[in-house]
Amino acid sequence: MRLHPMPEFGSFTLLLALALSAYTLVMGGIALWRTRGMAAGVDGGAGRLGETARRAGISSFVALSCAAFALVWGSFTNDYSVSYILHHTNRDLNTAYKFSALWSGQEGSLLLWAWLLSAYGFVLRIRHKVDVRLSAFASTILAGIQVFFLLLLNFAAPPFAIQPGPVATDGFGLNPLLQYPEMVIHPPMLYLGYVGFSVPFAFALGALMMRYPGEKWIHITRRWTMVTWLFLTCGIFLGAHWAYSVLGWGGYWGWDPVENASLMPWLTGTAFLHSVMMQEKRGMMKSWNVWLIFSTFMLTILGTLLTRSGIVSSVHAFAQSSIGDWFYGFILIVFAVCLFTFFKQRDHLKSENRLESLVSRESSFLFNNLILLAACFTVLWGTLFPVLSEYVQGTKVTMGAPFYNRVNLPIGLFLLFLTGIGPLLAWRSTSLRSIRRNFILPSIAMGVALVVLLGVGVRPWQAGDDWQATLFSLVTFTLAAGVITAIAAEFLRGANVVATQTGKNLVASTVLLVRRNTRRYGGYVVHFGIVVMFIGIAGGAFNQSHEQEMGFGDTLKLGPYRLVCKSYTQDSNKNYDTEYALMDVFRGSKKITQLAPEKRFYIASQTSSTMVALHSTLASDLYVIYEGQNPDTDRPIIKVFLNPLMNWIWIGVLIVVAGTFLALVPNLARTSARAAAETPVIEAEVHHV
Amino acid sequence: MFEFAAELSCRTGLLRGVRVLRALCTPSGAAPAGRFQFRRFVGAGLVCLLAVVMLGATPASRFDKVGHEMMCACGCGQILLECNHVGCPDSDRMIGELRDQIAGGGSDSAVMSWFETKYGATVLAAPIRGGFDNVAWIAPMAVFLLATIGTGLLVRMWSQRSAQRRSVSAAGPVLGGDAVRERIRRETEY
């Protein structure tokens, strides 16, 4: 019998992590049960039990870290006795990709999920003194989630399963699509976001279970939620950028079920981030918020179910997997626990205030939530409709991009509209004078933008079959002009008030204004980033493409560019064979760059992959694909896309990230009594109430 | 509306569409003059719209449009004209068939029906066959509309109740200036 020390160490640490998590769940639960109804500081000995549960939770992170290390070690040492390593790596794989192989398959990605969950739990349990009892509740709930994933890893999808028979000399390699630098970062980012929503979920459920007074739990979880949301945002857009750069079809979002699975919790999470403000400021929408975070968490689990159970077809899905049943069971349990807790404690969720006016910040948040949830429903509906159709009609249908694009178009435009007007409305009620003052400038900007756009030729009635896309872009650009003006005016108005009060110049006043209320102005920056992204997306209406077979010296023209084929050849190395063409790119008579679109054939995995060549500017992307060789002429077929404004999507994401960081920075401390006295007056004037 | 107009123009030809619209716009009996003017205006608008839609329909753009509403049958999950696999067993043949069908002069829906018959319903990138397929389109819009109307009614009901409460408590004690200012400051933080 062969010995496999490292895989056995990994299996043992997984089992140990399960035992420790189960201990945290059971003993933590008992400790909380024994201290129910007791005054703070009186625990009748349950505190020590709770403390052992907390330490067991911390230890489970150490155990899972060891398991993750064992898998990475196996990958780096080419231990092909482990089935997972055999199927996801090979000897000649680049070092970074040997590391990323950890999450390239089902078992490994579940291990990553469990490890990240334990890492979040570790931080939560270390910082438990923020509120000991609430943290104990959250820690116990997190342990429950962790037990589920560890049960999966130990019994349904073990990452250290030993390959039967003699040990192979080389592995089957990593999926070529994953051999791209962004793929080393994208999955962990996405998982950090996905898994991270477990923490606000645990706090919300815990706060409801213990009838936690006030809104302090929201303050405690605000940073968790925002950081998690930020990770998910980055993960989604890294995925989109990867799809754009690697898949070679000229687009970045294909509405694949796996993409949809990541978008749904992002939408509900965004809705939660907005509506939770109403609970903080006005004590409203408590039940709504609780269900939003419950739904967000359940959508992260549902997304995993959709992509791993095989119930929907996806290029990324691990179809025919047996772990779907486990996820069905887990979602049912989570839903039952949430429903039971909600009905048992629903009297604790009564609103302190009621909405007072249709034209107010509160109602804009309500409509914002509505739009985001409508978008989420649309995505979920589109993802599940093929299953429903098969059940009703006996035939599956495809829900591709044309469906999602058409249905989500009005929703997206309404969202853009609300992004602009929402922050301009006052809490409780907005006066007619305030509306006039805040909206006149954006309205003028929209009018001017419309005239300019029509003038430069964005005319749907002249766009032929593309009139819908052109109309969408016209409306988007016009709305964007209004929203950007509104945001700029808000900064300017605030800075002017601060300048009047403090005597500082406009730049210093703006900085001071932002530092005094980072959350508000960080939010504006995030909204600005979203608008910039919309501008980039709307640019897609003017995409052009051309495909041509190109021999030596042949020329292809697209937009302002002219591509001349200098050479085409084949090459190979240990990892892959490659075919590529060298293309000189001219703009007018000036050569601006040389591009080398490529097609690779990976030897270990026997699969091919596109390497897109890109010349990127702020105005447009020149996107060149090597489609393959014409078997009759042996000449390469080159497809070229001209994608206007594409970079603005990625710039918009960077602005969103910057805005979120800004919102996470604590407000400037008030240093003097005079400043403290002045602040309310300034704030009131800035926010025109 | 626009799609209906486009479909109408494709199926019946512009002139017949104009006749239909003219019939629609003809005043019936003793209709008021204002209503007649309005209908004539709407009718004229629709005719213009039809003309615009018809003007753009070149074979190349039709090929691009229809090719983006079908999936490649190889199982890659990509739109037909975007499938770029090396040695894809289906896309080249399907693209050739699409060119032939469009050159044959059939309408968009006839071309797509031909592909559906040959490759099955999954070749269509979105459900468009009528019957239960319509549910796919109606459900999201219905949910969205119902939710919007529901939210609007809810907000209105709440605001009316708040107004009633305010009028009852109007005779109550007035808060001190500092308290009001503090509350305003708290509630106007973003």
Side-chain angles (χ1 to χ4, degrees), chain A residues 465, chain B residues 1-18 21 46-47 49-55 57 107:
Chain A
D465 278 357
Chain B
M1 182 71 149
F2 283 86
E3 283 187 351
F4 165 74
E7 193 65 19
L8 188 73
S9 63
C10 285
R11 285 189 178 178
T12 65
L14 182 61
L15 287 174
R16 209 187 317 164
V18 171
L21 286 167
L46 273 173
V47 171
L49 185 66
L50 279 173
V52 167
V53 169
M54 284 293 291
L55 282 174
S107 67

Side-chain angles (χ1 to χ4, degrees), chain A residues 167-203:
Chain A
V167 178
T169 50
D170 202 0
F172 299 137
L174 181 65
N175 185 339
L177 293 177
L178 305 179
Q179 296 185 41
Y180 192 78
E182 265 172 325
M183 265 296 135
V184 182
I185 315 164
H186 159 66
M189 278 282 182
L190 205 60
Y191 272 57
L192 275 166
Y194 243 52
V195 181
F197 275 117
S198 308
V199 178
F201 165 76
F203 270 103

Side-chain angles (χ1 to χ4, degrees), chain A residues 23-93:
Chain A
Y23 182 89
T24 310
L25 174 66
V26 176
M27 294 307 163
I30 291 172
L32 289 168
W33 179 260
R34 282 170 55 182
T35 55
R36 73 190 187 283
M38 288 183 180
V42 183
D43 61 17
R48 288 182 67 185
L49 190 64
E51 181 59 19
T52 60
R54 186 178 76 87
R55 290 183 183 187
I58 291 171
S59 308
S60 73
F61 167 65
V62 179
L64 265 164
S65 300
C66 290
F69 172 75
L71 197 64
V72 175
W73 179 268
S75 171
F76 276 95
T77 55
N78 302 312
D79 185 354
Y80 299 120
S81 64
V82 179
S83 177
Y84 184 82
I85 292 168
L86 174 72
H87 286 96
H88 295 93
T89 65
N90 64 301
R91 286 186 185 276
D92 296 320
L93 196 63

Side-chain angles (χ1 to χ4, degrees), chain A residues 348-478:
Chain A
H348 179 65
L349 296 172
K350 278 187 182 153
S351 288
E352 291 157 25
N353 289 300
R354 291 276 181 178
L355 210 136
E356 294 174 21
S357 166
L358 191 63
V359 189
S360 61
R361 179 78 64 84
E362 289 93 322
S363 67
S364 85
F365 276 134
L366 262 183
F367 279 103
N368 154 293
N369 267 232
L370 173 79
I371 293 294
L372 289 165
L373 291 188
C376 182
F377 173 79
T378 306
V379 177
L380 183 64
W381 176 254
T383 309
L384 293 180
F385 189 77
V387 182
L388 187 66
S389 166
E390 192 173 24
Y391 180 74
V392 175
Q393 308 187 104
T395 53
K396 235 177 190 166
V397 293
T398 306
M399 302 293 271
F403 169 81
Y404 292 101
N405 290 342
R406 260 175 233 163
V407 176
N408 281 327
L409 201 78
I411 295 175
L413 288 177
F414 196 6
L415 188 65
L416 179 62
F417 174 68
L418 282 179
T419 304
I421 67 156
L424 297 183
L425 300 175
W427 289 99
R428 303 184 67 182
S429 177
T430 308
S431 67
L432 198 63
R433 187 170 149 263
S434 165
I435 291 173
R436 209 178 298 137
R437 191 171 74 156
N438 288 339
F439 288 93
I440 194 150
L441 211 56
S443 302
I444 292 170
M446 282 167 67
V448 171
L450 184 65
V451 170
V452 170
L453 287 163
L454 291 173
V456 297
V458 187
R459 298 169 192 155
W461 59 88
Q462 289 178 345
D465 278 357
D466 290 336
W467 66 266
Q468 281 173 312
T470 312
L471 182 67
F472 160 68
S473 66
L474 180 68
V475 176
T476 305
F477 293 142
T478 308

Side-chain angles (χ1 to χ4, degrees), chain A residues 21 67 186 191 203-204 238 273 275 290 386 459 461 463 474 518 558 564 573 605 626 629:
Chain A
S21 300
H186 159 66
Y191 272 57
F203 270 103
L238 278 171
L273 274 175
S275 73
V290 157
R459 298 169 192 155
W461 59 88
L474 180 68
T518 52
L558 190 67
V564 179
N573 62 28
S605 58
Y626 187 98
Q629 279 189 345

